[in-house]
Amino acid sequence: MINVILLGPANAGKGTQAKRLTHELGIPQISTGDILRQAVKDETTLGKQAGPLMAAGQLVPDPLVIAIVKARILQPDCQKGFILDGFPRTIPQAEALERSLAESGMALTGVISLEVPEALLLERAAGRRSCPKDGSVYHVSQNPPKQPGICDLCGTPLIQREDDQEERVQARMLEYREKTEPLKAWYAERGLLREVEGVGAPDEVYGRIKQALGA
Ligand code: AMP
């Protein structure tokens, strides 16, 4: 069983790397950002609460995201493990996760912290384009779709996520520094933290992650 957390600021590459791990290990990617975006699209109660905060680059309250993840990791497809992408983002979320896993007799394999300089995070955000239908992610110069502005997989016109606009990205960076970065020390104390350089081609970063996981 491999239970991994991908930690890192917005645009560090968590989603891209989580998808590769999922593909290779056959265990699900649990992205709280994707789950919340779907809830916003479906206009559920959760979506209505989360939407304005997400658009402003702020965190959604802990109890809401904790409830999502607690239910999700108990699903049968998580029995062989899971990749958490974008959760936990605060110490209370990490504590809640620790309790939930202990109650179910599970434990974390490791916490991968993707390290990327802030200037590069901003550059990535400016060029990132997403498919609103299937969630595929591209970059205008680093990872362009075959036809500019169109999703390779489903032909849907690509968009720039509202929260990838520069001032929102700055807000998300601040949230990360204040609320999420302290998790590194928290997991280091537990012997779980693996810092991985997130700069370079996705393949190179993936190689480093596998090495850090001892795979
Ligand atoms: P992401 O796609 O992971 O960058 O998440 C997009 C947005 O969803 C974040 O900026 C937050 O507003 C919200 N979000 C996702 N995961 C969490 C979480 N674990 N805690 C609080 N808010 C979250």
Side-chain angles (χ1 to χ4, degrees):
M1 185 144 130
I2 300 185
N3 299 327
V4 180
I5 291 175
L6 289 180
L7 200 67
N11 290 286
K14 300 188 298 292
T16 302
Q17 298 300 332
K19 284 191 178 67
R20 285 175 187 232
L21 284 167
T22 288
H23 192 71
E24 189 173 334
L25 302 174
I27 55 179
Q29 166 193 13
I30 304 178
S31 158
T32 42
D34 285 349
I35 295 170
L36 291 167
R37 273 184 289 280
Q38 188 63 46
V40 172
K41 222 161 126 189
D42 295 343
E43 298 181 12
T44 63
T45 312
L46 171 68
K48 285 182 190 144
Q49 284 173 284
L53 293 165
M54 293 170 73
Q58 286 164 12
L59 292 184
V60 171
D62 287 333
L64 296 181
V65 274
I66 288 170
I68 295 174
V69 173
K70 268 178 119 169
R72 185 64 188 86
I73 59 177
L74 293 176
Q75 296 295 308
D77 64 334
C78 292
Q79 261 167 16
K80 282 195 289 176
F82 52 77
I83 319 286
L84 277 171
D85 156 16
F87 180 96
R89 263 178 157 99
T90 62
I91 301 270
Q93 291 180 19
E95 288 168 346
L97 176 67
E98 192 176 52
R99 279 195 300 274
S100 273
L101 291 174
E103 280 165 17
S104 318
M106 299 194 270
L108 288 172
T109 309
V111 177
I112 302 289
S113 173
L114 286 174
E115 304 294 325
V116 179
E118 291 197 351
L120 183 55
L121 295 173
L122 284 171
E123 200 277 319
R124 286 184 181 174
R128 174 154 78 171
R129 297 291 179 275
S130 311
C131 173
K133 191 164 171 211
D134 67 18
S136 303
V137 177
Y138 304 86
H139 186 280
V140 288
S141 57
Q142 308 300 318
N143 175 29
K146 291 195 187 84
Q147 203 186 332
I150 301 293
C151 179
D152 288 349
L153 300 180
C154 68
T156 304
L158 301 176
I159 55 158
Q160 182 178 40
R161 268 169 50 180
E162 207 178 346
D163 58 358
D164 276 339
Q165 290 158 14
E166 183 162 348
E167 68 186 39
R168 316 287 169 85
V169 176
Q170 298 277 11
R172 294 165 85 199
M173 277 183 184
L174 192 67
E175 285 278 67
Y176 182 77
R177 267 186 250 129
E178 285 180 357
K179 298 188 179 145
T180 309
E181 210 154 37
L183 286 178
K184 284 167 60 177
W186 198 85
Y187 281 121
E189 273 170 30
R190 287 156 177 76
L192 289 166
L193 187 75
R194 312 277 180 271
E195 287 182 278
V196 168
E197 196 192 347
V199 180
D203 281 347
E204 288 171 62
V205 178
Y206 188 59
R208 292 182 205 129
I209 291 177
K210 288 213 298 188
Q211 211 173 7
L213 288 172

